[in-house]
Structures are given as C-alpha cells and as structure tokens.
Amino acid sequence: MANRKEYGQPADLKELKDLNKDDAYKLKGWCRIVNIDASLAMIITAILSVCFLITGAMILKPLELAPEDSELASTLSKIFSTRWGEAGGYLFILSGTAALCGTLMVQMAGWPRLLADTVRICIPKFGKLFKWEIQFRAFLILFFLTNMLIAFTFGIRPVLLVKTAAILDGLILTPIQAICVFTGLFFIMPKLFTKDVYNIIRPHWIYALFLILAFFVFGYFCIFQVPYILGN
C-alpha cells in the first residue's frame, strides 16, 4: 500500500481510505501472524537470557570470579580451557567472535536501510536530492565509522560498553518508542481508515495498557535512576 508501490515510500492515504471490510480482515490476519511472531521471539529471548544468567552464576560463583572490563573475555576463556582443555578456550573466543560478527551484519543490513527510509519519508527533499542507493550507503558508512570509533574507544572496557548500550537502548529509547507507538496506533491510525475498517483492525486495549506501563516504568528509571548509575 506504499505510494507508487515503491520500497520505502509513504503510504497511499487515498488507498487506505478506500479499503473495505474484506481488506480489513486480510490485514487482521496478517497482524495476527506478526503478533505471534513477535510474541514468540520475546518469550524465547527472555528464556534464553534467564538461562545465560543462571549458567553464568552457577559457573562463576563457585570459582569466586567477577570478571571486569578487559579481563572479561580472557577470564571466561580460561574457565572454558580448564573444563574442556585448550580447545575449549579457543572455541569460546571463536564463538564470541562469530556472535559479534553476526550481530554487526544484521545491524548493518537493517538500521541503515530503516534510517534511509525514515529520513526520506519525513524529509521529502532528502529523497529528491539523492538516489535510494546513495542514501542507504551514506547511513551504512556512518554506522561503520561510528562502530569503529566505539570499538576503539570503549572496546577496551566491554563491561562499560554493554552498560552504556543498555542504558541508552533500554532505559532512554524505550519510553520514547512506547509513546510514539501508542500515538500511532490509537491517534493517527484511526484517521487513516474508515470507521468500519478501523473497528476491525483496531489494536486490543491490552496493547495500550502495556505501552503506557512501559512509558511510565522506563521513564521513571530514565529520569531517576540513570543519573544515579552514571554518577557511580
């Protein structure tokens, strides 16, 4: 339903207004698939995170180890070496490197494309000045250079890097994202469709509840806890 059916273009508002009930039920089915996919991903991520925390505590506590900053990777590598020999230490380093490279590849493929689309949609002149490929490559280069800068400045202190990323992504961006999504779903979306269509595809009230809770909970931590964490 993008305008001119092109990738990364804003929605065709006239076509959205012309949707009928049959189209709405099709959209409802697609939304159901997206909801199931996102819910399963969230559940799996939460379970795996808890498993990693429990495993880390069970291994590190008996050894009375608390790796810090630059010693983190080497300490964990030594633990693997003592249990599975020298090959275990190398396997841990190799696995960590593969995970890091995989994460960077996903980020480099997704975020530059998303930001290029966002800027082009929000600032039409940007889309007219540069071709789509140039826009994408510009953000790709920006991400590459900033990643290298972060790696060479904070890379020697990985624990600090992880804490800083968690604060920026989890505590500061989450309330902003929550209020933006809430506004889009319950204030902007009703204006894009007819009343009958919106009544079919209208999000369940539980989404509004969780978005509001996320805004206030993470907003509280952002305002009151982040300064305390940074001060220590």
Side-chain angles (χ1 to χ4, degrees):
M1 297 178 186
N3 192 15
R4 299 192 302 275
K5 307 301 181 182
E6 296 179 9
Y7 177 83
Q9 296 296 327
D12 189 333
L13 300 182
K14 183 179 181 303
E15 185 175 351
L16 293 179
K17 279 290 186 181
D18 292 338
L19 293 179
N20 54 41
K21 291 185 177 181
D22 292 334
D23 297 324
Y25 284 114
K26 291 180 182 179
L27 285 175
K28 188 71 173 180
W30 174 78
C31 292
R32 188 176 296 108
I33 294 175
V34 174
N35 290 337
I36 294 174
D37 178 71
S39 300
L40 289 176
M42 180 181 65
I43 294 172
I44 293 173
T45 301
I47 292 174
L48 290 177
S49 299
V50 172
C51 291
F52 279 124
L53 290 173
I54 294 175
T55 303
M58 292 179 64
I59 294 176
L60 294 175
K61 185 176 181 180
L63 298 175
E64 297 183 352
L65 292 175
E68 296 183 1
D69 293 335
S70 58
E71 300 177 356
L72 181 63
S74 60
T75 301
L76 295 179
S77 177
K78 291 177 181 177
I79 294 175
F80 277 83
S81 298
T82 57
R83 292 177 177 271
W84 293 300
E86 186 176 358
Y90 286 115
L91 180 61
F92 170 77
I93 297 296
L94 180 62
S95 301
T97 304
L100 176 61
C101 292
T103 301
L104 287 175
M105 288 177 63
V106 172
Q107 297 296 328
M108 292 294 183
W111 279 103
R113 194 181 303 272
L114 176 63
L115 289 177
D117 292 342
T118 302
V119 174
R120 183 170 62 256
I121 292 171
C122 297
I123 308 176
K125 290 184 179 180
F126 180 76
K128 296 178 181 178
L129 289 175
F130 305 101
K131 294 182 178 179
W132 181 87
E133 293 84 356
I134 296 177
Q135 301 167 24
F136 170 71
R137 291 168 185 169
F139 279 104
L140 183 62
I141 294 173
L142 175 64
F143 267 70
F144 177 77
L145 293 178
T146 52
N147 271 273
M148 292 300 101
L149 178 64
I150 293 173
F152 281 103
T153 52
F154 291 97
I156 57 176
R157 302 183 64 186
V159 175
L160 176 62
L161 180 60
V162 172
K163 286 183 178 179
T164 304
I167 292 173
L168 293 176
D169 189 22
L171 297 182
I172 297 179
L173 291 181
T174 298
I176 297 175
Q177 292 172 338
I179 198 65
C180 288
V181 173
F182 177 84
T183 304
L185 290 178
F186 297 97
F187 288 95
I188 296 178
M189 200 168 80
K191 301 177 182 179
L192 301 178
F193 304 95
T194 63
K195 186 176 181 180
D196 292 337
V197 170
Y198 179 72
N199 287 336
I200 296 174
I201 64 174
R202 179 176 54 191
H204 196 275
W205 62 267
I206 196 69
Y207 292 103
L209 175 62
F210 279 115
L211 287 171
I212 293 173
L213 286 175
F215 172 75
F216 282 107
V217 170
F218 286 95
Y220 165 80
F221 283 105
C222 179
I223 295 173
F224 296 102
Q225 297 298 320
V226 169
Y228 174 79
I229 296 173
L230 294 178
N232 290 277

